[in-house]
């Protein structure tokens, strides 16, 4: 295992850590060598189901890691799971991952997204946004067209 440089393992793991976090978590628990190798790509793809997972992710992962180790590129959010989704936690997560986020998929209730002011958070690299619902609270008035 140590015959292959850690950078090579990191590159290999970058292709496997695309399932919302399950593979990267399993690899990080395998051995210290793999934990070190997967760390730079561990948060490539993250799925958070429910408020409890979001709160843990914010407190135990994002707030404890240096900036270069919390580069989330693909984020999936859902309210299905344990715990209520709190808008302040959601806003904090999105502010942490906003600079590196490429895709955001949200199945959160629309009022949570509106309250968290998702549209006011900069996502300079965002390529794809998928949401359940809509962002406009009132109908758009047209000039009779």
């Amino acid at each position: 295992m140590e015959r292959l440089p850690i950078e090579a393992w990191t590159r290999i793991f970058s292709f496997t850590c695309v399932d919302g976090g399950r593979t990267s978590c399993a690899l990080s628990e395998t051995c210290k060598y793999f934990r070190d190798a997967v760390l730079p790509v561990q948060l490539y793809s993250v799925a958070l189901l429910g408020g409890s997972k979001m709160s843990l992710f914010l407190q135990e992962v994002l707030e404890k890691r240096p900036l270069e180790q919390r580069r989330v590129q693909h984020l999936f959010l859902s309210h299905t799971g344990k715990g209520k989704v709190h808008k302040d936690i959601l806003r904090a997560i999105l502010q942490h991952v906003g600079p590196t986020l490429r895709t955001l998929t949200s199945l959160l209730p629309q009022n949570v997204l509106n309250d968290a002011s998702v549209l006011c958070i900069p996502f300079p690299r965002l390529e794809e946004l998928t949401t359940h619902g809509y962002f406009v609270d009132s109908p758009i008035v047209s000039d009779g067209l």
Side-chain angles (χ1 to χ4, degrees):
M1 185 169 47
E2 286 88 10
R3 290 182 184 171
L4 193 61
I6 197 164
E7 296 81 10
W9 282 112
T10 299
R11 181 76 175 132
I12 292 167
F13 292 158
S14 73
F15 293 107
T16 63
C17 297
V18 295
D19 61 354
R22 291 178 190 239
T23 300
S24 62
C25 287
L27 287 168
S28 70
E29 294 175 357
T30 303
C31 65
K32 184 182 181 329
Y33 193 75
F34 276 9
R35 182 175 50 244
D36 293 342
V38 79
L39 195 59
V41 295
Q42 188 174 27
L43 301 182
Y44 178 80
S45 171
V46 175
L48 301 172
L49 309 177
S52 298
K53 295 283 186 185
M54 290 180 200
S55 181
L56 278 172
F57 182 69
L58 176 64
Q59 295 169 0
E60 299 298 322
V61 178
L62 292 178
E63 292 179 345
K64 290 187 176 181
R65 289 186 183 202
L67 185 62
E68 66 275 0
Q69 292 179 359
R70 53 180 164 163
R71 294 183 179 144
V72 177
Q73 293 189 34
H74 306 281
L75 181 61
F76 176 86
L77 303 168
S78 175
H79 66 285
T80 58
K82 295 182 179 181
K84 180 182 175 192
V85 177
H86 296 281
K87 61 184 174 185
D88 55 333
I89 292 173
L90 175 61
R91 185 180 305 114
I93 289 171
L94 293 174
Q95 287 172 338
H96 278 290
V97 303
T100 58
L101 204 59
R102 289 179 41 215
T103 66
L104 172 60
T105 302
S106 172
L107 299 181
L108 296 174
Q110 197 59 45
N111 63 336
V112 173
L113 289 176
N114 287 342
D115 291 344
S117 302
V118 171
L119 293 177
C120 297
I121 296 172
F123 298 109
R125 296 185 181 184
L126 194 67
E127 298 169 8
E128 182 178 317
L129 173 64
T130 306
T131 64
H132 174 75
Y134 53 88
F135 281 110
V136 181
D137 287 334
S138 59
I140 299 174
V141 178
S142 65
D143 292 330
L145 300 175

